[in-house]
Protein backbone atom coordinates (compact mmCIF):
# COMPACT_ATOMS: atom_id res chain seq x y z
CA UNK A 1 0.00 0.00 0.00
CA UNK A 2 1.36 3.39 -1.01
CA UNK A 3 1.58 6.19 1.50
CA UNK A 4 -1.72 8.00 1.81
CA UNK A 5 -0.01 11.35 1.34
CA UNK A 6 1.24 10.28 -2.11
CA UNK A 7 -2.21 9.10 -3.14
CA UNK A 8 -3.75 12.37 -1.95
CA UNK A 9 -1.09 14.38 -3.79
CA UNK A 10 -1.96 12.51 -6.98
CA UNK A 11 -5.68 13.24 -6.52
CA UNK A 12 -4.89 16.92 -5.97
CA UNK A 13 -2.89 16.98 -9.21
CA UNK A 14 -5.75 15.31 -11.10
CA UNK A 15 -8.15 18.02 -9.92
CA UNK A 16 -5.72 20.77 -10.94
CA UNK A 17 -5.19 19.24 -14.38
CA UNK A 18 -8.95 19.05 -14.90
CA UNK A 19 -9.46 22.62 -13.64
CA UNK A 20 -6.90 24.18 -15.99
CA UNK A 21 -7.38 21.86 -18.99
CA UNK A 22 -9.49 24.28 -21.03
CA UNK A 23 -7.23 27.26 -20.34
CA UNK A 24 -4.11 25.24 -21.16
CA UNK A 25 -5.65 23.99 -24.42
CA UNK A 26 -6.59 27.53 -25.46
CA UNK A 27 -3.09 28.85 -24.76
CA UNK A 28 -1.46 25.94 -26.60
CA UNK A 29 -3.75 26.58 -29.58
CA UNK A 30 -2.58 30.21 -29.69
CA UNK A 31 1.05 29.10 -29.53
CA UNK A 32 0.54 26.56 -32.34
CA UNK A 33 -1.35 28.99 -34.59
CA UNK A 34 1.09 30.37 -37.16
CA UNK A 35 -1.31 33.16 -38.13
CA UNK A 36 -0.89 34.83 -34.73
CA UNK A 37 1.68 37.57 -34.27
CA UNK A 38 4.95 37.13 -32.40
CA UNK A 39 3.63 39.23 -29.49
CA UNK A 40 0.56 37.02 -29.14
CA UNK A 41 2.76 33.92 -29.09
CA UNK A 42 4.93 35.50 -26.43
CA UNK A 43 1.95 36.49 -24.27
CA UNK A 44 0.49 32.99 -24.57
CA UNK A 45 3.80 31.41 -23.55
CA UNK A 46 4.08 33.69 -20.53
CA UNK A 47 0.48 32.93 -19.52
CA UNK A 48 1.15 29.21 -19.90
CA UNK A 49 4.18 29.50 -17.63
CA UNK A 50 2.06 31.25 -15.00
CA UNK A 51 -0.22 28.20 -14.64
CA UNK A 52 0.49 25.97 -11.63
CA UNK A 53 3.18 23.40 -12.25
CA UNK A 54 0.95 20.56 -11.06
CA UNK A 55 -1.69 21.55 -13.63
CA UNK A 56 0.48 19.99 -16.34
CA UNK A 57 -0.88 16.56 -17.32
CA UNK A 58 2.63 15.14 -17.66
CA UNK A 59 2.98 15.32 -13.88
CA UNK A 60 0.25 12.72 -13.41
CA UNK A 61 1.24 9.17 -12.56
CA UNK A 62 -0.76 6.01 -13.22
CA UNK A 63 -1.45 4.33 -9.90
CA UNK A 64 -3.13 1.10 -8.89
CA UNK A 65 -6.77 1.69 -7.94
CA UNK A 66 -6.54 -0.73 -4.99
CA UNK A 67 -3.08 -0.19 -3.52
CA UNK A 68 -1.84 3.08 -5.01
CA UNK A 69 1.31 1.38 -6.33
CA UNK A 70 2.91 3.68 -8.94
CA UNK A 71 4.83 1.07 -10.93
CA UNK A 72 3.70 -1.94 -12.90
CA UNK A 73 0.23 -0.55 -13.45
CA UNK A 74 -1.76 -1.86 -16.42
CA UNK A 75 -3.88 0.80 -18.12
CA UNK A 76 -6.51 -1.67 -19.25
CA UNK A 77 -7.35 -2.67 -15.68
CA UNK A 78 -6.07 0.28 -13.65
CA UNK A 79 -4.41 -2.21 -11.32
CA UNK A 80 -0.86 -3.13 -10.45
CA UNK A 81 0.59 -6.36 -11.86
CA UNK A 82 0.47 -8.22 -8.53
CA UNK A 83 -3.19 -7.31 -7.90
CA UNK A 84 -4.11 -8.39 -11.43
CA UNK A 85 -2.44 -11.73 -10.73
CA UNK A 86 -4.28 -12.20 -7.43
CA UNK A 87 -7.68 -11.28 -8.85
CA UNK A 88 -7.16 -13.36 -12.01
CA UNK A 89 -6.28 -16.46 -9.99
CA UNK A 90 -9.46 -16.00 -7.96
CA UNK A 91 -11.44 -15.58 -11.19
CA UNK A 92 -12.63 -12.07 -10.34
CA UNK A 93 -11.50 -10.50 -13.64
CA UNK A 94 -13.82 -11.63 -16.46
CA UNK A 95 -12.09 -13.10 -19.49
CA UNK A 96 -8.68 -13.46 -17.85
CA UNK A 97 -7.37 -16.97 -17.34
CA UNK A 98 -4.04 -18.46 -16.37
CA UNK A 99 -2.09 -19.53 -19.41
CA UNK A 100 0.34 -22.36 -19.84
CA UNK A 101 2.18 -23.62 -22.90
Amino acid sequence: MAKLSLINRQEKREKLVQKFAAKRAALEAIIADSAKSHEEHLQARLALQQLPRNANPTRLRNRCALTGRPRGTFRKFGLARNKIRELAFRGEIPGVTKSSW
Side-chain angles (χ1 to χ4, degrees):
M1 189 75 185
K3 287 176 63 175
L4 190 58
S5 61
L6 296 178
I7 295 171
N8 290 338
R9 186 184 308 162
Q10 176 71 11
E11 290 174 0
K12 184 178 177 182
R13 284 181 180 151
E14 289 171 358
K15 289 177 186 174
L16 267 177
V17 166
Q18 190 176 24
K19 179 180 177 182
F20 288 101
K23 188 172 186 177
R24 176 175 288 279
L27 290 171
E28 288 175 351
I30 291 171
I31 293 169
D33 189 4
S34 61
K36 301 285 183 181
S37 69
H38 179 70
E39 290 78 23
E40 288 175 318
H41 284 282
L42 184 61
Q43 291 298 322
R45 282 194 200 108
L46 291 174
L48 191 61
Q49 289 177 357
Q50 295 303 315
L51 294 180
R53 183 171 284 181
N54 283 334
N56 193 341
T58 58
R59 291 180 66 94
L60 293 178
R61 177 89 187 185
N62 290 335
R63 288 188 173 270
C64 176
L66 298 178
T67 62
R69 179 182 167 86
R71 295 176 185 238
T73 304
F74 286 69
R75 289 183 186 187
K76 182 175 181 179
F77 303 108
L79 299 172
R81 57 184 171 76
N82 47 5
K83 286 297 171 184
I84 289 175
R85 186 171 188 269
E86 287 177 14
L87 295 175
F89 282 163
R90 284 192 256 152
E92 296 179 9
I93 302 177
V96 176
T97 57
K98 186 178 186 308
S99 66
S100 62
W101 59 90

